Amino acid sequence: MALLTATSSGKASIFAPFGGQGTNEVYFDELQNLYDIYTPFVTPFLQTVTEDILIPLAGVEEDSTFYTYGLDVVSWLSGTIPRPTVSYLASIPVSFPLIGLTQLIQYLIVCCVANLTPGELQSRIAGATGHSQGIVSAVAIAASATFEEFVDNSRKALKWLFYSGLRGQQAFPVTPVEPSIVQDALKGSEGTPSPMLSIFLVVGVPYHSEYLAGPAETLIEEDLEGEELWSAKDIKIPVYNTKDGVFNGFLLIYAD
């Protein structure tokens, strides 16, 4: 609250950065903690996006091998049904939308705790940005002035993230790495090898490369049917390029 007060008097500036993949094995613990602490604030939102977006998309997707346990996030968090294994939650088709969900929940909680609408919180934020998939969360919050807009933009963001994770994994199925290579990497304190070799994150798809051009085209033309989820006029605060900090007005990246 002190920081928000400082922004009102011009003594501080707040930026909203959102991360990408790399927290695959721990993000759900964070989401569980947020749910446990702020249940009254987040439950209605979680129920809406779970029932409207996550469960239906996982249920109708033809490649059901990626969604053996579905995407009933509310039931996992409430304990109605057991939480899936870490390996399932860490898989790209599942973690892509759910990491985004966790980020959106964090923003919602700030609004609720500070007793501010998304638009009032926006007025205190100098800009937003995001690395990799985080840019989608940045755009979603930058386009939301009311709670109704926040829910609508969250639906859009989760749909985009769902298909981005799915199409990427379909293009690059999980394959085992030769044991000797794994041991060599671990011995050198380099972590477990993955397709994201240049940064050895626990990510099973080579995002940020030209290899994702095909899946990106499928997402745009088939999954979204050419629909423009956001346009420049929807963005109410600056969204900055994470590479050079330039204000792009509106930036949405697919392969790079």
Side-chain angles (χ1 to χ4, degrees):
M1 291 299 292
L3 181 58
L4 292 174
T5 301
T7 62
S8 300
S9 61
K11 296 181 179 179
S13 296
I14 297 177
F15 289 85
F18 297 90
Q21 291 277 293
T23 60
N24 305 49
E25 296 182 335
V26 297
Y27 75 88
F28 203 87
D29 289 334
E30 179 179 358
L31 181 58
Q32 183 72 65
N33 288 335
L34 293 173
Y35 175 82
D36 292 342
I37 296 171
Y38 301 102
T39 302
F41 292 150
V42 303
T43 297
F45 171 77
L46 278 168
Q47 289 176 332
T48 296
V49 297
T50 298
E51 295 171 4
D52 291 357
I53 298 295
L54 298 176
I55 290 178
L57 288 179
V60 301
E61 176 48 46
E62 69 276 7
D63 200 340
S64 59
T65 56
F66 294 136
Y67 304 103
T68 307
Y69 300 101
L71 286 176
D72 190 348
V73 177
V74 172
S75 293
W76 297 340
L77 293 171
S78 66
T80 304
I81 60 176
R83 184 198 298 191
T85 62
V86 171
S87 60
Y88 179 80
L89 294 172
S91 65
I92 293 297
V94 174
S95 65
F96 232 79
L98 297 195
I99 286 175
L101 175 62
T102 304
Q103 294 170 340
L104 294 168
I105 287 289
Q106 291 171 329
Y107 190 80
L108 175 62
I109 289 171
V110 173
C111 289
C112 293
V113 171
N115 195 28
L116 298 173
T117 67
E120 290 170 335
L121 182 55
Q122 273 183 352
S123 69
R124 291 165 169 78
I125 295 177
T129 188
H131 170 67
S132 190
Q133 73 165 84
I135 198 69
V136 181
S137 297
V139 169
I141 68 107
S144 302
T146 67
F147 284 109
E148 291 76 14
E149 288 180 343
F150 178 76
V151 173
D152 185 53
N153 286 313
S154 294
R155 288 190 183 100
K156 294 179 182 180
L158 292 172
K159 181 178 181 179
W160 190 97
L161 291 166
F162 175 89
Y163 281 114
S164 183
L166 172 65
R167 299 310 177 197
Q169 192 71 86
Q170 285 178 328
F172 293 90
V174 178
T175 56
V177 180
E178 185 178 334
S180 61
I181 297 177
V182 175
Q183 290 302 316
D184 182 66
L186 293 175
K187 184 177 180 180
S189 299
E190 298 170 329
T192 302
S194 80
M196 296 291 279
L197 293 177
S198 65
I199 51 176
F200 292 105
L201 292 177
V202 186
V203 180
V205 175
Y207 288 101
H208 300 276
S209 74
E210 61 184 14
Y211 300 115
L212 270 294
E217 184 175 344
T218 299
L219 187 157
I220 297 170
E221 297 182 358
E222 297 181 19
D223 300 324
L224 301 182
E225 299 179 330
E227 177 188 3
E228 184 178 48
L229 298 182
W230 297 280
S231 61
K233 64 180 178 61
D234 299 322
I235 308 305
K236 301 172 177 65
I237 58 174
V239 176
Y240 292 94
N241 188 317
T242 48
K243 287 189 175 181
D244 54 20
V246 173
F247 168 48
N248 291 83
F250 173 63
L251 172 68
L252 190 56
I253 53 175
Y254 292 92
D256 192 15

